[in-house]
PDB file of all heavy atoms in Angstrom:
ATOM      1  N   ALA A 125     -70.439-116.069 112.693  1.00  0.00           N
ATOM      2  CA  ALA A 125     -69.208-116.147 113.477  1.00  0.00           C
ATOM      3  C   ALA A 125     -67.987-116.240 112.559  1.00  0.00           C
ATOM      4  O   ALA A 125     -66.935-115.620 112.830  1.00  0.00           O
ATOM      5  CB  ALA A 125     -69.284-117.343 114.459  1.00  0.00           C
ATOM      6  N   VAL A 126     -68.045-117.097 111.515  1.00  0.00           N
ATOM      7  CA  VAL A 126     -66.959-117.213 110.572  1.00  0.00           C
ATOM      8  C   VAL A 126     -66.655-115.926 109.837  1.00  0.00           C
ATOM      9  O   VAL A 126     -65.535-115.480 109.732  1.00  0.00           O
ATOM     10  CB  VAL A 126     -67.221-118.355 109.654  1.00  0.00           C
ATOM     11  CG1 VAL A 126     -66.220-118.381 108.454  1.00  0.00           C
ATOM     12  CG2 VAL A 126     -67.242-119.697 110.288  1.00  0.00           C
ATOM     13  N   GLN A 127     -67.708-115.177 109.413  1.00  0.00           N
ATOM     14  CA  GLN A 127     -67.579-113.948 108.827  1.00  0.00           C
ATOM     15  C   GLN A 127     -66.874-112.936 109.699  1.00  0.00           C
ATOM     16  O   GLN A 127     -65.928-112.209 109.332  1.00  0.00           O
ATOM     17  CB  GLN A 127     -68.921-113.350 108.299  1.00  0.00           C
ATOM     18  CG  GLN A 127     -69.497-114.118 107.164  1.00  0.00           C
ATOM     19  CD  GLN A 127     -70.952-113.690 106.853  1.00  0.00           C
ATOM     20  OE1 GLN A 127     -71.673-113.243 107.765  1.00  0.00           O
ATOM     21  NE2 GLN A 127     -71.343-113.872 105.580  1.00  0.00           N
ATOM     22  N   SER A 128     -67.303-112.891 110.948  1.00  0.00           N
ATOM     23  CA  SER A 128     -66.680-111.993 111.989  1.00  0.00           C
ATOM     24  C   SER A 128     -65.215-112.384 112.187  1.00  0.00           C
ATOM     25  O   SER A 128     -64.370-111.461 112.238  1.00  0.00           O
ATOM     26  CB  SER A 128     -67.522-112.131 113.254  1.00  0.00           C
ATOM     27  OG  SER A 128     -66.867-111.302 114.244  1.00  0.00           O
ATOM     28  N   ALA A 129     -64.953-113.667 112.287  1.00  0.00           N
ATOM     29  CA  ALA A 129     -63.548-114.089 112.538  1.00  0.00           C
ATOM     30  C   ALA A 129     -62.646-113.654 111.357  1.00  0.00           C
ATOM     31  O   ALA A 129     -61.518-113.148 111.582  1.00  0.00           O
ATOM     32  CB  ALA A 129     -63.496-115.609 112.738  1.00  0.00           C
ATOM     33  N   ILE A 130     -63.177-113.871 110.169  1.00  0.00           N
ATOM     34  CA  ILE A 130     -62.358-113.503 108.964  1.00  0.00           C
ATOM     35  C   ILE A 130     -62.082-111.996 108.953  1.00  0.00           C
ATOM     36  O   ILE A 130     -60.966-111.528 108.697  1.00  0.00           O
ATOM     37  CB  ILE A 130     -62.973-113.994 107.628  1.00  0.00           C
ATOM     38  CG1 ILE A 130     -63.017-115.537 107.651  1.00  0.00           C
ATOM     39  CG2 ILE A 130     -62.284-113.409 106.411  1.00  0.00           C
ATOM     40  CD1 ILE A 130     -61.669-116.184 107.575  1.00  0.00           C
ATOM     41  N   ARG A 131     -63.089-111.198 109.176  1.00  0.00           N
ATOM     42  CA  ARG A 131     -62.986-109.724 109.201  1.00  0.00           C
ATOM     43  C   ARG A 131     -61.963-109.319 110.249  1.00  0.00           C
ATOM     44  O   ARG A 131     -61.069-108.524 110.041  1.00  0.00           O
ATOM     45  CB  ARG A 131     -64.324-109.044 109.492  1.00  0.00           C
ATOM     46  CG  ARG A 131     -65.138-108.802 108.300  1.00  0.00           C
ATOM     47  CD  ARG A 131     -66.315-107.817 108.636  1.00  0.00           C
ATOM     48  NE  ARG A 131     -67.081-108.232 109.796  1.00  0.00           N
ATOM     49  CZ  ARG A 131     -68.131-109.023 109.735  1.00  0.00           C
ATOM     50  NH1 ARG A 131     -68.540-109.586 108.622  1.00  0.00           N
ATOM     51  NH2 ARG A 131     -68.763-109.331 110.887  1.00  0.00           N
ATOM     52  N   SER A 132     -62.066-109.935 111.475  1.00  0.00           N
ATOM     53  CA  SER A 132     -61.128-109.572 112.564  1.00  0.00           C
ATOM     54  C   SER A 132     -59.703-109.987 112.262  1.00  0.00           C
ATOM     55  O   SER A 132     -58.771-109.271 112.541  1.00  0.00           O
ATOM     56  CB  SER A 132     -61.607-110.191 113.846  1.00  0.00           C
ATOM     57  OG  SER A 132     -62.859-109.701 114.228  1.00  0.00           O
ATOM     58  N   GLY A 133     -59.551-111.241 111.706  1.00  0.00           N
ATOM     59  CA  GLY A 133     -58.259-111.716 111.357  1.00  0.00           C
ATOM     60  C   GLY A 133     -57.578-110.884 110.321  1.00  0.00           C
ATOM     61  O   GLY A 133     -56.353-110.628 110.332  1.00  0.00           O
ATOM     62  N   LYS A 134     -58.342-110.492 109.332  1.00  0.00           N
ATOM     63  CA  LYS A 134     -57.879-109.640 108.198  1.00  0.00           C
ATOM     64  C   LYS A 134     -57.390-108.285 108.741  1.00  0.00           C
ATOM     65  O   LYS A 134     -56.382-107.792 108.403  1.00  0.00           O
ATOM     66  CB  LYS A 134     -58.939-109.469 107.159  1.00  0.00           C
ATOM     67  CG  LYS A 134     -58.529-108.771 105.958  1.00  0.00           C
ATOM     68  CD  LYS A 134     -59.657-108.785 104.896  1.00  0.00           C
ATOM     69  CE  LYS A 134     -59.288-108.065 103.675  1.00  0.00           C
ATOM     70  NZ  LYS A 134     -60.370-108.084 102.625  1.00  0.00           N
ATOM     71  N   ALA A 135     -58.164-107.718 109.678  1.00  0.00           N
ATOM     72  CA  ALA A 135     -57.796-106.393 110.247  1.00  0.00           C
ATOM     73  C   ALA A 135     -56.508-106.555 111.040  1.00  0.00           C
ATOM     74  O   ALA A 135     -55.569-105.700 110.976  1.00  0.00           O
ATOM     75  CB  ALA A 135     -58.925-105.866 111.100  1.00  0.00           C
ATOM     76  N   ALA A 136     -56.392-107.623 111.847  1.00  0.00           N
ATOM     77  CA  ALA A 136     -55.151-107.823 112.613  1.00  0.00           C
ATOM     78  C   ALA A 136     -53.917-108.080 111.800  1.00  0.00           C
ATOM     79  O   ALA A 136     -52.865-107.669 112.044  1.00  0.00           O
ATOM     80  CB  ALA A 136     -55.404-108.976 113.648  1.00  0.00           C
TER      81      ALA A 136
END
Side-chain angles (χ1 to χ4, degrees):
V126 170
Q127 289 170 333
S128 177
I130 294 296
R131 273 193 309 273
S132 297
K134 187 174 177 180

